[in-house]
Amino acid sequence: MTINLTVENQGDRLDIWLSNQLTDISRSRIQKLIEQGNITLNNEVCPNKKIKLKIGDRLQVNIPEPQPLELQPEPIPLDILYEDEQLIIINKSANLVVHPAPGHETGTLVHALLYHCSNLAGIGGGQRPGIVHRLDKDTTGAIVVAKTDFAHQNLQFQIKNRTAKREYLGIIYGVLNNKEDENNRDKGMINLPIGRHPVDRKRMAVVPREKPGREAVTYWEIIERLGYYSLVKFILETGRTHQIRVHSSYFGNPIVGDPLYSNNRSLKMNLSGQALHAHKLTLTHPITSEKIEAIAPLPDEFIKLLNYLRQKQ
């Protein structure tokens, strides 16, 4: 399919202008079309998404036929919290990788979704169809997946602009302490940039912005003290890789069972991973604008750990 466009008003950079004109196509897909040479500007291929457009510029957008996914659907059971024609919200189990990656070419959430949703192919990208945001492999709980290109673009916008609310429950070592507010020490905000660890490339770390670190903001509140442990509610304002895990460990309060950031601390319980659960996801429906609140019940292992720590006090 070919779309011809003419810039009639003062233009913005190429990818932004196109995303405003072609509202049924996500910006990430438009950027991919640019990279692949599918956009011509004044009869010349334009591979630069940042080029500024001028009044009178003529654009041709070539949208190739969707290529069949190499991924094969797999009949992996899904715990569905909400579903309609636009989106699906899953209560992700532990030890389930969200999308294919080196070492995890099969058995991912994406493979399960392709089996469950026949029209998911091509939404948002070849290896990550429909994926709006991620959860770490061993982090459980609510994750939303788009089933149409419009929903994918809309939900990504909500995540980026922080209108979608993501609330987690985690069990940490020790007690977080808001030293800046003597009257309210049990809740606070962590605003520390996060980037790749300078030595261990598998880990993230709090690093200066010039390293470079990206803005990372986490709100926290202690829900229950459990002796030397605490049950904490975390609310993400940003969504950096391992954000809650990095912010907690930075203050010496890593998530219990975290294989990367807990410094080999252990309990007498065998845990499958970090005790971190995406408990509540609140967003606006892309079509109806209604508020959707999905609550993922705590997994059995999390409940077992809570009961163990309560009895241990």
Side-chain angles (χ1 to χ4, degrees):
M1 181 174 65
T2 301
I3 302 173
N4 295 300
L5 299 166
T6 301
V7 179
E8 297 179 351
N9 299 306
Q10 185 60 40
D12 207 326
R13 54 183 259 181
L14 177 60
D15 61 333
I16 296 175
W17 190 85
L18 283 174
S19 66
N20 289 331
Q21 302 300 312
L22 308 174
T23 55
D24 290 337
I25 304 177
S26 68
R27 186 170 162 190
S28 61
R29 189 178 180 194
I30 287 173
Q31 291 174 340
K32 184 64 68 175
L33 291 172
I34 296 171
E35 293 172 5
Q36 294 172 344
N38 288 305
I39 310 295
T40 60
L41 173 60
N42 299 325
N43 296 320
E44 293 187 5
V45 174
C46 181
N48 182 6
K49 67 182 180 182
K50 296 182 180 180
I51 194 169
K52 294 287 186 178
L53 299 177
K54 304 183 297 295
I55 295 175
D57 281 342
R58 290 172 290 108
L59 291 156
Q60 188 176 74
V61 181
N62 298 307
I63 303 177
E65 291 293 324
Q67 296 297 313
L69 287 173
E70 298 178 1
L71 305 175
Q72 296 299 316
E74 299 179 29
I76 300 169
L78 293 173
D79 183 1
I80 299 171
L81 300 174
Y82 175 91
E83 183 178 16
D84 62 21
E85 294 180 353
Q86 296 293 322
L87 58 94
I88 181 171
I89 303 177
I90 303 295
N91 181 15
K92 189 184 86 65
S93 60
N95 201 35
L96 180 63
V97 175
V98 170
H99 57 73
H104 300 282
E105 288 79 12
T106 61
T108 72
L109 177 61
V110 162
H111 290 88
L113 288 165
L114 287 172
Y115 185 87
H116 179 80
C117 308
S118 59
N119 61 340
L120 196 65
I123 305 299
Q127 298 299 305
R128 305 181 183 185
I131 299 301
V132 176
H133 64 115
R134 292 177 61 253
L135 292 178
D136 297 333
K137 182 183 73 167
D138 293 326
T139 298
T140 55
I143 179 171
V144 63
V145 178
K147 296 171 69 174
T148 69
D149 206 35
F150 177 80
H152 189 265
Q153 183 178 2
N154 182 277
L155 293 168
Q156 282 193 326
F157 180 85
Q158 292 186 48
I159 295 290
K160 181 179 179 180
N161 288 274
R162 305 171 187 181
T163 56
K165 184 176 178 182
R166 290 168 289 169
E167 182 178 308
Y168 291 69
L169 291 175
I171 300 174
I172 64 169
Y173 290 95
V175 179
L176 283 166
N177 190 349
N178 185 356
K179 297 179 181 179
E180 297 180 358
D181 187 351
E182 294 183 357
N183 298 319
N184 204 356
R185 292 190 178 277
D186 283 356
K187 64 170 61 176
M189 178 189 74
I190 303 171
N191 186 354
L192 293 170
I194 289 176
R196 187 67 59 183
H197 193 284
V199 178
D200 187 349
R201 306 304 291 175
K202 293 182 179 180
R203 301 175 63 184
M204 307 300 288
V206 171
V207 297
R209 291 188 184 275
E210 61 270 16
K211 286 301 183 180
R214 301 179 67 190
E215 180 191 21
V217 179
T218 306
Y219 293 90
W220 60 270
E221 180 181 357
I222 295 175
I223 303 300
E224 182 179 356
R225 294 174 184 263
L226 302 160
Y228 184 64
Y229 305 85
S230 302
L231 174 64
V232 182
K233 177 173 70 175
F234 297 96
I235 296 178
L236 289 180
E237 182 168 314
T238 55
R240 307 304 173 209
T241 300
H242 299 175
Q243 179 172 315
I244 292 173
R245 299 163 65 188
V246 171
H247 275 169
S248 297
S249 65
Y250 181 81
F251 291 99
N253 306 106
I255 303 293
V256 172
D258 193 324
L260 281 180
Y261 302 102
S262 64
N263 298 321
N264 296 318
R265 301 187 196 184
S266 62
L267 286 169
K268 293 182 180 180
M269 283 184 59
N270 290 323
L271 301 176
S272 59
Q274 61 271 2
L276 184 62
H277 179 68
H279 177 60
K280 184 189 297 185
L281 176 63
T282 306
L283 50 86
T284 301
H285 193 280
I287 301 297
T288 67
S289 297
E290 294 180 359
K291 179 180 176 181
I292 297 175
E293 183 179 271
I295 297 177
L298 289 173
D300 290 342
E301 185 176 275
F302 198 108
I303 295 173
K304 183 178 178 182
L305 175 59
L306 269 179
N307 291 333
Y308 171 77
L309 295 177
R310 285 166 178 159
Q311 294 170 3
K312 188 179 178 182
Q313 294 186 73

